[in-house]
Structure formats: structure tokens, C-alpha cells
Amino acid sequence: MRNHDHSGSGMTTHAPIRRLLTSRRHMLGLAAGAAGSGLLRPPALRAQPRTLLPVAEADALVAFGHTSPVTDGGWTMAHDQGVQAVRRAFPRLRTVYVESVPYSADATRIFRQFVAEGAQMVIATSNYGDFIRDVSDRAPDVAFMECDGHAVSGNLGWYYITHWYASYVIGIAAGLMTRTNKIGFVGSFPIPSVYAGANAVLLGARSVNPAATLQAISINAWFDPQAATQAGSALADNGCDFLCGIMDEPAYLRVAEQRGIKAAMWNTDMRQYGPEAYVSSVTLDFRDYYVEQVRARLAGTWQPQGHFLTLGHGVDRDPWGRTVPPEVAAQADAMRTRIMQGYNPFQGPIHDAAGRLRVPQGQAMDDALIYQWDWAVAGVTGLD
Amino acid sequence: MAGTLQRQPTVTPARRLAWRAGAIVTALAITTLFLALSGRDPRLLADLVVRSTVGSRFGLEDLALFLTPLLLTGAAVTVTGRIGVWNIGAEGQFYAGAIGATAIGLFLPGPSWLVLPLMAASGIACGMGWILVPALARAYAGVNEIITTLLLNFVAGLLTTYLAVGPWHDRVTGALASTGRLPVRIPEIWGVVHWGFPIALAIVLGLAWLTTRTSWGYQITVGGANEQAARYAGIPVRARILGVMLLSGGLAALAGMFEVAGTVHRLQGGLANNFGYFGIVVAVLARGSCLNVLPAALLMAFILNAGIVLQTQQLTGSAVLAITGLVLFMIAIADELAHYRPVTVRPVTPRPATRAEVRP
């Protein structure tokens, strides 16, 4: 239990009812009333967290919306392992998932359909912004969770991993291992997680190798092996000898293996796709967190909130690849230990790519600030 | 007496409808067979699909939201088809319309009653601008519009993504990869269904009247049937091609404006959701008649909506796409087969020569 210390307040005052039968009707009734804009509603109404009634395990339906196929070998696979852990922990509960949920109005339809089918908990394993918010506002009896989300309302919360610490640790290895001092980064969109990932890698690298630079390419997708391959090749052509990125799949690791350079990945252990090139990976583990959240929902103690899974508790660097020199691994792991003991490596002074001082000497960026990161640090090109 | 199949040049609507119904039933039968073979209960799935689409208010709302852009993009492709031109670029014009509408919505403060019509006007103008070059090239230089309109789709899609993550990127509420939320929205009339739906319906009905009951519509039909003959008859074919293509671009753009101002409320990559391409499918099903766009768009909306329901039942997106393809494939075959009917060929027995025909 990392974040739940509240008891089930209010849960005993309500008689348990068959929410499976009522949730949908409730939602449709509200849909007519909730015609106004979410922005126009008084903020007090949305910030009021309400305790959702407990649900019997046999009546429970937990729905997951994934951004890519569960067989992507990366991001969605990591979440699917969490889904399987939920199934093991609660064998009588039903789970459903939809994979490849697009970032479009179709996402709203899918989440609405989950609610219509009686789900008491909807977990989006990627950011869907308004598309999930529009549904959660109209279904107040359903618990919504959004990975990489930013909004907390009465029944919508977000969770994310503090991957920037793992990226920083891997960045140290990159700084020590690069010969050309050029690190490549295959990103999806210029959004905070990508800024945080790329910035953390370069700040880590520069902590041991001040000459290091990072060149990023955004391919406008999380899962597009072909575009990731092209981006990886272009970066290698440009002289990058260490590839990083945030992709759901291992395409640019294969590029690195073919080109005889190094690569650090995301999501899972991907060394089988490029054993010579593989350095490490930002590995994710949502199993304990999902089981804990579903347990809270069943018990009626679930509360909407923002929550970070921290280094060593849901996110970590993968055991180092076989071609990583032991002294590099030791130096990077020394920082990993320090961070796990509470050290924040994101200390000022930090300049942005335009040379402006953004974080002065003596100050540090905390997780909340890093989570909103929307500028590139000095030395990062291709994002701004 | 020998039986054979003969191709009829025209098909009565009733006959085509019967064949299409047969096609849909066949496609559903094949789908049922495969679902049963893979260990699912087709009856349960069918029940859920019907309840979640046409069998509940919730489903009907979603159906109407799907229909709104499909009616407009379907009509956009249909009107150009009447003059023998294929506008494959409805997707791009959709994006152009969304961009034009968002530009006004984001940067022109004002009351909704003023901003919304301006957004629509700006969106339509952008959509017309997007098709203007292909339209001029087609009308005056004979450049194949299929290629030019198609390729501009990718330009429009990437331009949208660029604006959404670049200059217009939302840096206030932390939304990812999209612009800020538009301060105005099309009012909703029924649940999540907004005014765009009845307006789209009215537009399609108006187009049906325009294309079949006016001399402008007649000129277009003649121009589409035989360009040379139409020109010889004094019909300004080039001007008509230009006009129809601009109308088409404006229709698709209005769909984009409705989507961004009524449903999504932010400009972002992927906004068009393939509605432009589905418009081509709708137009093919409608066979050139604007009135037919109504049932064709309804079928398409039902298929798309059913696809989402099936995905929540753990069918993969690819399986849903395959079912969609199967239905449309069967309809295409049925449309062709409807032309054939069995005829009995009676051997013509030569009449015995009469005396008068016998020449000495």
C-alpha cells in the first residue's frame, strides 16, 4: 500500500446495491443534464472526491483501454501483465480490455461503452485527456484512472511512473559509453513525458560527460515500428552512437544492433531483439499497483488522486546488457542507489535549449514540475 | 429452350435493395460462422450489438455522432461523383475545415452565436481553399483529381499535427498533443448529440433537391454522363466541375468544423478519424444519389458503432475491420449481380417461306 491510508469512510452508511444494473441508467439520465461544458462547471463540483460504494467481486467489471496491442512487447504488454495480475488476485472478477484505442473521439465511445456494459472501474493505460474526462463527468459512479493523465475530478484520477530517474541513470551510462558524444532519441510527440525522458537522459549523460548532446526525432506515434526504424537509422546516419527513446516496441534496438551502436529501451526487457546493442531499459511494473487499486475499488475505499510510481516501485532500469562495461554499470548504479535514498538529481542550474536559465542554482525540479516539463534542456535538439 | 444470364443495363431500386439485403445477411452469416468456430456465442454478441447501437438511447446518441460527419463527407464525395469526378480528399478538407474553425475559435473571443457561424464560415473557406488547386487543375488542365486530392490528405493531416503540438499547443491545462479547449461549442440537443446532426441531415436533403430538381443539378448530371455532349449543349462544364468540387470541399470541411466544435473541442492529429475515407465508402454505397447517402451513412455508422461494441467483447480491432470489409465486399458483389437476371432463350424457328416471298 503506497498511497492508500484512508479507511473506507462513508462506506458503511450506504446499503450495497446492484450497481451493475443501475450504473448505466444513471449515466444516461445524467448525460441529458450534463450538457454544459466541463470548463463552465464550478470547480468546487469537480474537486469534490466522492466515495464509491463497494462492489462484490463476482459483480465487478474492470475495463482497460490500451493505446497499442497487448502483444506490442512494450508499454501495453507491461500494462497487460498488470491486468493478468488483477485476474489472478481476483479470480471471480471480470476484466475486459480494448487495445489500440485511438486518441480520437472513438476513445470516448469506447469508454462510454465500458460504462454501458456495467464497468465499475475504467483504467486508461495512456493519456486520453478530454476523451476520458467527457465520459467520467457523465458517469459519477464509475472510478476512472488515466495513466499519464493530468486531471483529478470526483471520480477520475491519474497515475504515472517517475521514469525520469531511470532515464537519468541510463543517461549516465550513455554519457560514459558514447564515443561521438551524440545521443539519439526516438520520441513520439513533443509532450511532457517525452521532454522529461530526453532531458533526463541528457542531464544524466552531461553529469559525467559535459560534451554530450542529444538529437531527438518525433514520429507522431507511440507504436509505429516502421517510422521508429527510419528515425533510428536517420539518427545513426547523423553520427549518434547511442539511441534512446520512448517507443512501445523494439524497432530502433534492431537498428542499433545492425549498425553496431548501442541502444537503451523502454517498458520491458527487450535484449533478445539486439543482445549486442542492448544497454538497459526503463522497465515498468504496474502489477502491484493495479491489484491494490482494484482492491480499493471493490472495498469502496478508492479515491481519485494523482499518484507516482517511484524508482524501484513500479519503474526501474533493467539489468545491464552484456556489452555494458562493469565500471559503467557501477557508476550508473551508484546514482540509482542515491536516488532511491532520496536524492534528486534534477538540480539547478538548468538552462533550456535557447540558453535561458530555467532552474537557478540551489533549486531543484520536483516530480510535479518534471511531470509538466514542456521545454528542452540545453543540448537537446529536435523537440522545440 | 435454354436458360442463360443476361446483364441488364439498369436495375430497379427494389431489386438492388433485395440484393443488398441478401449481401448483408450473407456477410453476417459468414461472420456468425467464424465467431461460433472461435468459441464465441454469436447470439449474445448480436444481442449486445443491437442493444448498444439501435436498442438504447446511449447507442442512438453514439450513432448520431457517427452519422454527423459521415453524412457530410458521404455527401461531399457523392456530389462530385455526379459530375464524374472523384474527390478522394475529403479527409484533408475535413482537417482544413477543422483548422479554419479552430483558428477562429481559439483566437477570436466573442459570444457563441457570433463565433460559431464565423467558425463554420472560416472552416468551409479553408476546405474550399484546400480543394481549389486540385479543382482548378482538373477543370482547366485535366489533371487527375484522384491523385491530387488524395495526396493533399497527408499534407493536411501533418499540418494539423504540427499546429496541435507546435504553435497552437495547449500549455494551460496540460492536454497532450492538442490545442487548448475551444471556448465555444455547438450546443447539444439530445444527450451528447449536438446541432451538427440535424444541420447535416438538412444539408443532405437540400443537396438531394438541388441535384435532382434544379437545372444546375441537371447540368451536372449531363456533364457527368457525357462531358463532350454537355459542352456541345452549351453547359459550362468547367465552371460546373469547379463549383461542384468547391461545394464538396466545403461539405467535408463543415464536417471537420462540427467534429472539432461539437464533439472533440480541441484540434489534434487524428481528429478526422478516417471520416473522409469512410465518406468514399458511403458514396459508393449511395451510388450517386444524395438521398441514398442517408441509409448508406446509417449503415456505415452502425458498422463503426458495432465495431466498438465488439472490441469491448475482446474481438481485436483487426477482426472488426475484417467484418466491415466483408459487409462492404458482399454489397459490392451484390450490386453487380443485381444486374443479371436469368432469361430463357427461345430458339427462333424460321418461319416457313410464304409463296409471296418465293422469288421465281
Side-chain angles (χ1 to χ4, degrees):
Chain A
M1 299 290 277
R2 280 188 293 277
N3 63 323
H4 278 282
D5 53 345
H6 23 252
S7 58
S9 58
M11 132 189 176
T12 47
T13 56
H14 300 275
I17 50 167
R18 292 270 301 178
R19 314 213 61 78
L20 230 148
L21 294 172
T22 55
S23 64
R24 176 170 182 178
R25 203 167 303 152
H26 199 140
M27 186 191 101
L28 296 179
L30 267 143
S37 157
L39 287 175
L40 299 176
R41 212 152 316 153
L45 268 179
R46 6 141 89 172
Q48 280 295 324
R50 43 177 290 156
T51 308
L52 304 178
L53 296 178
V55 183
E57 186 183 326
D59 294 337
L61 175 62
V62 179
F64 290 84
H66 298 307
T67 185
S68 44
V70 293
T71 49
D72 65 355
W75 176 262
T76 298
M77 198 180 91
H79 287 281
D80 193 51
Q81 285 163 357
V83 178
Q84 287 165 21
V86 168
R87 283 187 185 144
R88 277 193 300 275
F90 307 101
R92 284 179 299 154
L93 166 153
R94 280 193 308 133
T95 61
V96 294
Y97 67 81
V98 171
E99 51 189 14
S100 303
V101 178
Y103 185 62
S104 76
D106 270 1
T108 302
R109 295 187 179 97
I110 288 166
F111 297 135
R112 269 162 64 89
Q113 185 64 30
F114 283 152
V115 173
E117 286 174 21
Q120 295 92 354
M121 187 170 206
V122 174
I123 299 177
T125 62
S126 183
N127 178 294
Y128 287 99
D130 291 349
F131 297 123
I132 192 165
R133 184 64 194 269
D134 285 349
V135 182
S136 70
D137 279 355
R138 287 161 201 257
D141 292 338
V142 179
F144 286 85
M145 289 171 49
E146 183 187 15
C147 190
D148 196 11
H150 287 75
V152 176
S153 73
N155 60 329
L156 168 68
W158 58 258
Y159 60 103
Y160 201 50
I161 58 270
T162 54
H163 60 81
W164 34 91
Y165 298 116
S167 296
Y168 191 91
V169 170
I170 290 170
I172 293 176
L176 293 172
M177 290 175 77
T178 176
R179 294 285 158 264
T180 60
N181 292 333
K182 281 181 167 177
I183 301 167
F185 192 95
V186 184
S188 52
F189 307 93
I191 57 170
S193 0
V194 174
Y195 277 110
N199 290 341
V201 166
L202 187 65
L203 289 174
R206 284 200 162 176
S207 72
V208 293
N209 176 359
T213 57
L214 184 143
Q215 187 185 3
I217 294 180
S218 299
I219 65 166
N220 292 328
W222 295 106
F223 182 82
D224 187 344
Q226 208 178 351
T229 302
Q230 287 172 357
S233 304
L235 292 166
D237 290 343
N238 250 347
C240 298
D241 63 348
F242 196 108
L243 299 183
C244 294
I246 303 188
M247 284 290 123
D248 290 359
E249 42 69 41
Y252 73 82
L253 176 60
R254 291 201 178 92
V255 173
E257 183 81 1
Q258 281 166 10
R259 304 288 288 259
I261 57 177
K262 300 295 172 196
M265 309 307 294
W266 244 79
N267 306 308
T268 51
D269 180 354
M270 294 182 176
R271 68 190 75 214
Q272 76 264 29
Y273 300 105
E276 292 299 312
Y278 189 80
V279 171
S280 184
S281 177
V282 178
T283 53
L284 314 174
D285 182 357
F286 294 98
R287 286 175 294 187
D288 292 349
Y289 182 66
Y290 283 161
V291 170
E292 172 199 299
Q293 291 293 304
V294 170
R295 178 170 294 131
R297 177 67 191 90
L298 294 181
T301 58
W302 184 86
Q303 291 283 325
Q305 60 186 328
H307 175 70
F308 284 120
L309 283 75
T310 56
L311 191 66
H313 305 279
V315 60
D316 209 338
R317 61 112 186 89
D318 197 39
W320 299 101
R322 69 178 186 214
T323 58
V324 178
E327 60 277 12
V328 170
Q331 198 173 340
D333 277 348
M335 176 53 75
R336 172 172 172 265
T337 311
R338 272 184 83 187
I339 294 172
M340 288 171 80
Q341 286 163 352
Y343 173 70
N344 180 354
F346 296 96
Q347 303 282 345
I350 303 177
H351 293 82
D352 67 15
R356 272 200 299 155
L357 179 68
R358 292 292 195 114
V359 184
Q361 180 89 39
Q363 286 185 24
M365 292 182 77
D366 62 3
D367 290 338
L369 213 52
I370 293 172
Y371 195 39
Q372 309 286 343
W373 216 337
D374 63 352
W375 46 273
V377 300
V380 171
T381 52
L383 280 182
D384 278 329
Chain B
M1 299 278 280
T4 182
L5 283 175
Q6 193 179 53
R7 191 177 199 285
Q8 311 284 308
T10 56
V11 182
T12 60
R15 189 176 161 78
R16 172 165 287 126
L17 200 64
W19 272 93
R20 284 190 168 187
I24 293 172
V25 169
T26 312
L28 290 182
I30 295 172
T31 307
T32 307
L33 183 73
F34 273 95
L35 288 177
L37 283 177
S38 67
R40 293 167 200 277
D41 187 342
R43 271 176 313 172
L44 275 182
L45 286 180
D47 180 54
L48 183 74
V49 164
V50 170
R51 265 193 299 124
S52 305
T53 52
V54 290
S56 67
R57 164 153 183 193
F58 165 84
L60 288 173
E61 284 178 22
D62 260 1
L63 212 55
L65 273 194
F66 265 126
L67 259 173
T68 308
L70 285 173
L71 283 170
L72 289 172
T73 56
V77 184
T78 300
V79 288
T80 55
R82 289 185 74 87
I83 200 160
V85 169
W86 277 102
N87 174 17
I88 307 297
E91 185 94 350
Q93 294 131 27
F94 186 109
Y95 276 123
I99 290 172
T102 306
I104 298 289
L106 278 183
F107 302 110
L108 189 79
S112 293
W113 60 265
L114 179 67
V115 175
L116 283 171
L118 284 177
M119 282 171 74
S122 159
I124 290 171
C126 286
M128 289 181 165
W130 204 254
I131 203 176
L132 182 63
V133 171
L136 287 172
R138 170 66 174 82
Y140 292 98
V143 176
N144 188 329
E145 77 287 350
I146 294 178
I147 307 296
T148 50
T149 53
L150 172 71
L151 292 180
L152 278 174
N153 288 346
F154 306 106
V155 181
L158 288 171
L159 181 64
T160 305
T161 304
Y162 165 73
L163 288 170
V165 301
W168 294 357
H169 185 205
D170 173 33
R171 295 184 190 273
V172 182
T173 59
L176 309 185
S178 42
T179 66
R181 197 173 171 107
L182 294 172
V184 292
R185 59 192 284 153
I186 303 177
E188 284 155 347
I189 44 170
W190 189 62
V192 293
V193 183
H194 53 80
W195 271 99
F197 177 60
I199 295 174
L201 270 180
I203 288 176
V204 171
L205 291 173
L207 283 172
W209 174 79
L210 198 66
T211 49
T212 55
R213 295 276 179 274
T214 64
S215 65
W216 185 82
Y218 179 73
Q219 291 181 354
I220 282 162
T221 311
V222 175
N226 189 331
E227 199 173 325
Q228 299 296 328
R231 206 162 272 150
Y232 187 71
I235 295 172
V237 179
R238 278 179 179 163
R240 291 293 169 267
I241 288 179
L242 203 58
V244 167
M245 287 184 80
L246 289 179
L247 172 68
S248 174
L251 287 168
L254 189 62
M257 182 271 172
F258 283 170
E259 190 73 1
V260 77
T263 308
V264 177
H265 311 298
R266 292 175 191 271
L267 183 71
Q268 59 187 44
L271 176 85
N273 218 0
N274 291 329
F275 283 128
Y277 294 113
F278 287 130
I280 301 169
V281 178
V282 170
V284 168
L285 292 175
R287 299 187 70 90
S289 152
C290 287
L291 210 55
N292 283 352
V293 166
L294 297 175
L298 185 65
L299 176 67
M300 198 67 231
F302 176 78
I303 290 175
L304 291 176
N305 208 354
I308 281 176
V309 178
L310 288 176
Q311 282 190 65
T312 62
Q313 295 301 305
Q314 308 294 264
L315 255 73
T316 67
S318 329
V320 171
L321 208 62
I323 296 172
T324 313
L326 187 67
V327 170
L328 300 173
F329 172 75
M330 284 295 169
I331 288 177
I333 292 180
D335 275 0
E336 186 56 28
L337 286 182
H339 280 279
Y340 290 87
R341 57 194 328 166
V343 287
T344 31
V345 181
R346 236 173 262 141
V348 183
T349 39
R351 278 181 301 148
T354 55
R355 207 178 320 158
E357 284 166 336
V358 176
R359 303 264 178 241

